[in-house]
Amino acid sequence: MDAVNKPNSTSSENLQDAVREILPNHVVPKHYNILIEPAFDGTTFEGTVKINFVAVTQLEFIVLNAKGLEIEFAEIQYKDDFYEIPLDSFNQHSKLERWEISLQNCRKPMPEEAFTLAMDYNGQINEYGAGLFRSPNLSIPGYMLSTEMEPTNARMVFPCIDEPALKATFSISLIVQENLTCLSNMPIESESPMPRSDQKRLYFAKTPLMSTYLIAFAIGHFDMMQSDEFRVPVRVHAPKGSAIQDGQYALDIAVKALAHYEKLFDYDFPLPKMDLLVVPNAFSAMENWGLATFQPQYLLLGPDSKAADKMESASMICHELAHQWFGNLVTMTWWDDLWLKESFADWAAIHIRTVWSQIPDIEAWEDFASSGFQLALYSDSFRNTHPIQATVHRPSEISQIYDDITYKKGCSIINMLAVLDNQGAENFKDGIRKYLKTYAYGNATASNLWTAIGEDKYGFLETWIKTPGYPLLILEETPEDSASKGYGYHVDQERFLITPKLKRKERKAWWPVLVHEEDTDSREWVTLSNHRLQDFRPAIRPENLNQGRVGFHRVGYSSASFLQKIAKCFAEDDGNRVADRIGIISDTAALAFARHRLCRTQDLLNLLNLYKGETNFFVWRTMLVTLSEIRKLLLFTNEDTRTAVLNFQNSLTSKLIHEKGWIFEENEPLNEQRFKAFLFGYAGGDKNVTDAALAMFKSFFRRDMKAINPNIRTEVFKLVLEMGGIKEYRKLHSLLLTTLQPRIRTDILSSLGYSQHPASIEATLEIALRTTSQSGNEVFITIRPLTTHKPGIEALWEVMKSKKWFQAENLSLRTLAPIIEVILDAFTTMEQYEEVKILFDSIDTTGVENTIAQGLERIQARARWVEQDHDEIAKWLREHGYFSKTAQELARITVIKKAWKNMTDALPLRRASQPLRRPSEPMP
Ligand SMILES: [Zn+2]
């Protein structure tokens, strides 16, 4: 369908265009012919692009996107006539990332005339995962090249109109050494040796109509495995020397996911092949059409991978493959609808887990309710949040919306829509099928999706995607006399904010909320579309205002005793109430942290105490994450109170940890394995567990690699390092520099920061700074454990103050924003708030200003809770006997003191510089 290439016409869209920083729409690109030839040393490339355009008006100039490219030659061609464009006709706006090309000295295209603009240019190859970049091979010297164009990096590889709505077809061609393998969106059509050289030229088949941000190609020495079980070939590729056989799990998942999606979407996968490629320096994963790229740990899962890795890998692959339809076949018109593809891909990746037998997981939504759903509710409970459909004017604003609101809140809203449908989600499925068929090879907006699903739901969803924040529903029992008519309640709603005092305007905001009303034969939804619902009289279980945690809202109860009564009711109905127990704990925790009038922190502690007999993993995860959040909040106050919280936590978990143990059976369900590993990681106060961790660690370094089950490898490293072992730190550090196994590398990086020894902190920071320039994802897993202790936080703040991350030229905004977020999330006092403010007032923070504003607001909220609730929480813990040290706690302190005493020797650590596998030589 070609309709997408017509300029926009409606007045509201013209209005939007006026605030969007887009190129003038006086030319329409139809086809790109792209030739790329990387230099032998892999640092630069030469490019030629020929763009077939059609002029909309008579042209005086042409404007294209280009970033970091240098023009060498340009000409314009009409059928058989050629006109050279002098280079001084190129006006380069580096800030706007544009070339304005004046046509003063050559014939100007007339309206509706077709012409070709041809340009020779050169550009840079970097190693930080944007545009065309290098990655080190995993196990042999040398490197590979690959691309990442999303959101606006295609312009770093070829001059283009880099906007998702300006779809075109692409013919890509490469000149490379003849022994190298090349991949792109489409298969290779032909290849021939270059005369008088050891190079070859490859031509890939022409693509269908697609957006520039989805273009991809890769060059290197690759190993490959293929499956022919799907209608078209599906392959996993990895740099040569990787354990390619470890790609079998990913390949199986990919084949099954593609087959599943073809049925779900009722639309054949549109390309002749699907490749999945390991890219060590990839940001995370990227859905390029026909050539999706992934960090190694998502595709290479050897015998040493853990249950959590398998789940993560499956959901990442299912997410990227859902994009092959949602995003690639039908693309958002502009970046403000980024959520449309991301939240849908997230929804599809969870939905698939509940319906297929490859990874049977009946609790996929409970998993989400206790993880992504909570992250979205948390982010959205501050004033500095944004609507799902965010306003995006220019490229620098896009990087700040790859966040929990876009992905997780969006996913929750899509899920609400799917569940809302009474007919087993068939209307919803029919709607998305219609949407894909109507807009295939074109672009669409959120309202196009609503229309396809059914106009009646349009209004309901508009509020959810356009309004920031979400409501708190307050359930109040009505007086005794009206109770005789059955259950009687009032339901009120108000915006839920962690930051104090609702402003007058905020008090007026309301959302259409779906209140589930359960009945013996049918499921019905009550739309609560005003501030107050008087005499709400549901038939059964009236207390539940968010059945299964489908609605994106929190629930509060009018009194502490009412809350406890409901919590007991959820606990007794063990089988069906997992999501509700997760919900009541997390809602109560959120109200307590907000210091909401309905709830005190002691109500939360009473609730956790009530649930100590719990048996479900996801409920336990919610409870323990809540307790660890309390400990984190108390980090800069009283150490004795923190210890008392730990004693309380141990009193809840101790029996269960020993019942479950830490022996893992081969065929145990993945969630059971995750449960055991999770509990083990939270058992730092249990001497039996720490002794076991130390013993496993010792055997592991005596070359018994099987001594630590992969499920608890990070936890064992963490427990050993937390006990202060400097010798152990040194061992892990050396292993990091030599290991070729991506999973072990990730586990070490996620543990080193737990060591509090000054020399270890310095070494960990050195790794973080080095990985910053290579892999955005690795830097977070390295610095996150440093934020669990004071010396680590202080050291991280020193690095932030040195502005090293801000001055790093090759650091993308998509990496910088989460670094800032992770560090600011560790602060809990107003003194820290002031310090943060002073620093960022003195730096140009363009592109991360929202992240900083959010961070500051969160520090304020935490500081307020600490100041006002510390004494109350200490009182509760004292009254319940958690201040007196248990025998286990005393034993643990002795172990730590002993370990620290042995740490007087200086740290002769090997410097991390050269061994971190930088590309040190030209591609062989
Ligand atoms: Zn995605």
Side-chain angles (χ1 to χ4, degrees):
M1 218 178 86
D2 204 26
V4 289
N5 275 347
K6 295 197 178 87
N8 294 330
S9 55
T10 68
S11 60
S12 78
E13 277 165 345
N14 286 341
L15 192 73
Q16 285 173 338
D17 286 355
V19 292
R20 289 172 186 167
E21 207 173 77
I22 57 170
L23 302 183
N25 60 1
H26 57 194
V27 284
V28 177
K30 293 288 181 187
H31 181 73
Y32 290 77
N33 244 306
I34 300 166
L35 167 66
I36 302 289
E37 181 179 355
F40 187 67
D41 68 357
T43 56
T44 57
F45 66 91
E46 285 180 12
T48 297
V49 63
K50 291 179 183 160
I51 314 174
N52 299 346
F53 283 115
V54 171
V56 175
T57 56
Q58 190 187 346
L59 298 180
E60 297 295 326
F61 57 89
I62 298 169
V63 188
L64 298 176
N65 291 116
K67 183 180 172 188
L69 302 179
E70 198 181 325
I71 183 71
E72 286 187 339
F73 174 79
E75 70 180 7
I76 194 164
Q77 178 189 356
Y78 307 86
K79 288 191 180 138
D80 298 327
D81 300 333
F82 293 84
Y83 298 85
E84 186 174 337
I85 305 174
L87 294 188
D88 60 10
S89 309
F90 276 70
N91 196 351
Q92 304 191 16
H93 299 273
S94 60
K95 204 163 176 202
L96 288 172
E97 302 173 357
R98 286 178 183 186
W99 284 351
E100 196 178 300
I101 309 162
S102 162
L103 300 175
Q104 228 171 17
N105 297 318
C106 48
R107 176 160 101 63
K108 293 162 192 154
M110 301 303 288
E112 291 182 40
E113 187 176 26
F115 68 96
T116 301
L117 177 65
M119 289 166 282
D120 293 341
Y121 59 96
N122 54 55
Q124 304 292 318
I125 301 174
N126 61 69
E127 52 181 22
Y128 60 91
L132 178 56
F133 65 97
R134 288 185 301 273
S135 288
N137 286 332
L138 288 173
S139 55
I140 54 169
Y143 57 89
M144 58 168 282
L145 299 181
S146 62
T147 56
E148 164 109 18
M149 310 301 198
E150 186 176 1
T152 54
N153 296 327
R155 64 189 67 177
M156 295 169 75
V157 185
F158 56 98
C160 56
I161 301 195
D162 202 3
E163 292 165 16
L166 284 156
K167 289 193 173 184
T169 52
F170 295 80
S171 296
I172 295 171
S173 169
L174 301 171
I175 295 179
V176 297
Q177 302 303 110
E178 61 189 1
N179 60 349
L180 289 167
T181 304
C182 298
L183 301 166
S184 184
N185 307 87
M186 298 296 282
I188 292 172
E189 201 169 52
S190 67
E191 67 176 79
S192 51
M194 297 288 287
R196 294 180 301 283
S197 80
D198 58 353
Q199 289 181 309
K200 62 181 173 185
R201 179 164 178 176
L202 305 110
Y203 295 86
F204 293 96
K206 182 174 158 185
T207 70
L209 277 174
M210 62 185 287
S211 302
T212 48
Y213 81 91
L214 293 164
I215 290 295
F217 58 88
I219 304 165
H221 295 285
F222 301 130
D223 285 328
M224 181 270 280
M225 66 195 314
Q226 174 168 336
S227 166
D228 294 315
E229 276 176 51
F230 181 57
R231 226 174 15 79
V232 300
V234 183
R235 303 183 196 99
V236 170
H237 307 259
K240 218 170 191 55
S242 327
I244 189 68
Q245 68 279 7
D246 291 351
Q248 189 63 52
Y249 175 83
L251 188 60
D252 288 347
I253 295 279
V255 165
K256 299 233 162 51
L258 287 166
H260 176 86
Y261 288 144
E262 278 201 339
K263 270 202 212 123
L264 176 67
F265 300 141
D266 190 27
Y267 200 108
D268 281 356
F269 175 74
L271 301 185
K273 57 95 183 171
M274 181 71 222
D275 289 315
L276 293 86
L277 170 68
V278 168
V279 176
N281 278 0
F283 185 81
S284 159
M286 174 63 205
E287 71 258 26
N288 312 305
W289 217 3
L291 175 57
T293 51
F294 297 82
Q295 283 196 331
Q297 71 272 19
Y298 297 122
L299 293 188
L300 301 177
L301 286 99
D304 71 330
S305 44
K306 50 183 117 175
D309 300 338
K310 287 185 182 152
M311 296 298 257
E312 209 184 332
S313 154
S315 45
M316 192 59 97
I317 293 167
C318 293
H319 176 107
E320 304 308 339
L321 293 181
H323 275 315
Q324 304 303 311
W325 287 261
F326 247 87
N328 301 4
L329 179 65
V330 180
T331 311
M332 69 273 157
T333 301
W334 180 246
W335 295 105
D336 48 9
D337 268 329
L338 172 70
W339 76 279
L340 204 53
K341 75 176 177 84
E342 294 308 342
S343 51
F344 196 89
D346 262 8
W347 178 85
I350 301 173
H351 174 74
I352 203 171
R353 277 166 58 186
T354 62
V355 294
W356 70 347
S357 56
Q358 181 72 11
I359 33 167
D361 182 11
I362 48 164
E363 290 191 320
W365 282 106
E366 284 76 5
D367 193 350
F368 179 69
S370 63
S371 54
F373 184 67
Q374 296 303 330
L375 293 174
L377 285 167
Y378 178 72
S379 301
D380 212 21
S381 54
F382 293 94
R383 287 198 168 86
N384 281 295
T385 181
H386 62 83
I388 294 176
Q389 194 175 52
T391 309
V392 175
H393 305 107
R394 61 189 65 85
S396 68
E397 292 170 347
I398 305 171
S399 58
Q400 299 187 81
I401 57 166
Y402 286 90
D403 60 9
D404 292 330
I405 301 295
T406 300
Y407 285 70
K408 311 298 178 200
K409 184 180 179 186
C411 173
S412 311
I413 304 308
I414 297 276
N415 187 42
M416 217 194 281
L417 182 64
V419 175
L420 173 69
D421 202 308
N422 288 335
Q423 281 78 50
E426 281 311 312
N427 287 352
F428 174 71
K429 279 183 201 158
D430 289 346
I432 54 179
R433 288 169 181 167
K434 198 165 129 200
Y435 168 84
L436 288 170
K437 279 197 181 76
T438 312
Y439 299 100
Y441 302 104
N443 297 75
T445 61
S447 47
N448 296 140
L449 178 63
W450 309 151
T451 310
I453 290 171
E455 286 286 355
D456 51 331
K457 283 146 203 159
Y458 183 89
F460 162 83
L461 287 152
E462 281 287 283
T463 312
W464 278 104
I465 63 164
K466 290 193 167 149
T467 315
Y470 60 89
L472 164 72
L473 298 197
I474 301 167
L475 187 65
E476 187 190 349
E477 287 176 299
T478 53
E480 289 290 317
D481 55 327
S482 60
S484 60
K485 294 178 228 158
Y487 295 98
Y489 297 91
H490 293 318
V491 185
D492 282 295
Q493 77 155 283
E494 62 185 39
R495 178 169 178 188
F496 179 70
L497 280 170
I498 289 186
T499 330
K501 277 194 191 156
L502 287 175
K503 293 171 184 161
R504 190 197 291 263
K505 197 173 117 209
E506 290 163 343
R507 265 188 252 135
K508 289 205 166 130
W510 64 270
W511 289 257
V513 179
L514 294 163
V515 179
H516 181 241
E517 193 180 336
E518 238 175 315
D519 190 288
T520 41
D521 342 90
S522 66
R523 306 183 114 228
E524 294 223 352
W525 294 83
V526 175
T527 305
L528 175 67
S529 54
N530 215 326
H531 287 284
R532 172 158 260 230
L533 190 67
Q534 298 275 7
D535 286 330
F536 173 52
R537 291 176 189 286
I540 305 178
R541 287 177 181 156
E543 71 284 353
N544 199 343
L545 288 175
N546 200 353
Q547 168 83 11
R549 263 44 205 181
V550 171
F552 197 78
H553 59 265
R554 293 201 185 277
V555 180
Y557 299 91
S558 56
S559 70
S561 57
F562 191 18
L563 167 74
Q564 293 291 319
K565 187 173 109 186
I566 304 297
K568 265 193 203 130
C569 158
F570 288 172
E572 281 154 15
D573 188 3
D574 185 38
N576 304 315
R577 295 286 176 151
V578 170
D580 296 330
R581 293 200 292 284
I582 292 167
I584 200 167
I585 297 164
S586 46
D587 289 353
T588 306
L591 288 165
F593 290 139
R595 301 201 83 260
H596 194 276
R597 63 183 187 281
L598 290 180
C599 190
R600 306 255 51 86
T601 301
Q602 61 183 20
D603 300 329
L604 171 65
L605 299 173
N606 284 328
L607 179 61
L608 295 174
N609 220 4
L610 181 73
Y611 280 0
K612 63 181 160 215
E614 177 60 49
T615 55
N616 180 276
F617 168 39
F618 301 110
V619 181
W620 268 111
R621 180 162 77 180
T622 312
M623 290 165 70
L624 291 177
V625 165
T626 303
L627 281 167
S628 104
E629 183 62 23
I630 293 178
R631 294 195 72 225
K632 189 176 140 188
L633 286 163
L634 296 171
L635 190 59
F636 291 90
T637 54
N638 188 325
E639 197 49 39
D640 288 344
T641 317
R642 287 190 82 220
T643 308
V645 177
L646 186 64
N647 291 340
F648 172 46
Q649 178 185 308
N650 288 337
S651 80
L652 296 176
T653 55
S654 164
K655 191 166 149 254
L656 188 65
I657 287 168
H658 289 276
E659 268 170 25
K660 294 263 173 206
W662 41 90
I663 307 289
F664 294 83
E665 308 293 341
E666 188 105 351
N667 293 321
E668 226 167 0
L670 292 183
N671 281 343
E672 182 61 17
Q673 295 185 40
R674 291 168 77 197
F675 193 2
K676 283 183 184 176
F678 186 80
L679 284 172
F680 189 87
Y682 271 87
D686 188 315
K687 190 169 177 303
N688 291 334
V689 172
T690 45
D691 285 351
L694 276 170
M696 286 185 242
F697 189 89
K698 273 187 191 146
S699 306
F700 181 81
F701 277 97
R702 281 194 206 113
R703 292 177 186 276
D704 175 9
M705 299 305 267
K706 291 208 166 97
I708 308 177
N709 184 284
N711 278 299
I712 48 169
R713 198 162 42 218
T714 319
E715 286 75 13
V716 168
F717 294 166
K718 171 187 170 212
L719 291 175
V720 169
L721 291 173
E722 273 183 342
M723 282 185 288
I726 193 69
K727 269 192 274 173
E728 288 79 5
Y729 184 93
R730 209 177 296 145
K731 280 182 177 157
L732 283 174
H733 192 272
S734 309
L735 181 59
L736 175 74
L737 304 182
T738 52
T739 185
L740 298 174
Q741 295 188 46
R743 201 62 249 179
I744 291 194
R745 177 179 170 80
T746 310
D747 287 346
I748 298 175
L749 286 176
S750 339
S751 331
L752 290 177
Y754 288 108
S755 173
Q756 299 191 30
H757 189 281
S760 323
I761 292 176
E762 199 188 317
T764 308
L765 277 174
E766 193 189 320
I767 293 165
L769 284 164
R770 188 160 295 283
T771 48
T772 302
S773 63
Q774 296 188 352
S775 160
N777 220 21
E778 284 197 344
V779 70
F780 313 128
I781 56 173
T782 311
I783 65 174
R784 195 170 282 130
L786 285 168
T787 65
T788 59
H789 47 83
K790 276 193 247 179
I793 296 169
E794 280 153 10
L796 277 170
W797 184 238
E798 285 306 313
V799 179
M800 188 54 85
K801 281 202 291 194
S802 74
K803 302 178 192 170
K804 276 184 192 151
W805 276 310
F806 273 86
Q807 285 155 356
E809 253 175 47
N810 52 7
L811 184 61
S812 75
L813 288 171
R814 252 180 104 173
T815 306
L816 181 61
I819 292 178
I820 294 173
E821 186 184 329
V822 150
I823 297 174
L824 298 196
D825 262 354
F827 291 143
T828 56
T829 70
M830 282 315 284
E831 293 75 49
Q832 291 165 335
Y833 172 92
E834 292 301 333
E835 228 186 293
V836 170
K837 226 174 151 327
I838 290 169
L839 175 71
F840 289 125
D841 281 347
S842 70
I843 305 182
D844 174 14
T845 56
T846 310
V848 288
E849 55 274 56
N850 292 351
T851 309
I852 293 166
Q854 283 159 6
L856 283 167
E857 190 184 351
R858 291 174 191 195
I859 301 173
Q860 259 181 321
R862 284 192 289 267
R864 180 170 147 265
W865 182 87
V866 173
E867 270 169 32
Q868 300 181 5
D869 270 25
H870 171 268
D871 294 352
E872 185 190 306
I873 189 174
K875 183 165 165 262
W876 188 95
L877 291 162
R878 186 164 286 114
E879 281 171 6
H880 286 76
Y882 296 114
F883 264 88
S884 49
K885 296 210 169 24
T886 59
Q888 286 218 332
E889 174 59 15
L890 290 171
R892 182 172 163 269
I893 292 169
T894 320
V895 173
I896 293 177
K897 278 192 180 152
K898 218 173 110 195
W900 277 81
K901 231 174 144 185
N902 295 337
M903 285 196 328
T904 40
D905 54 336
L907 249 192
L909 283 169
R910 234 193 317 156
R911 307 296 285 178
S913 49
Q914 73 286 11
L916 271 177
R917 300 192 317 261
R918 295 167 70 83
S920 49
E921 51 192 281
M923 196 182 290

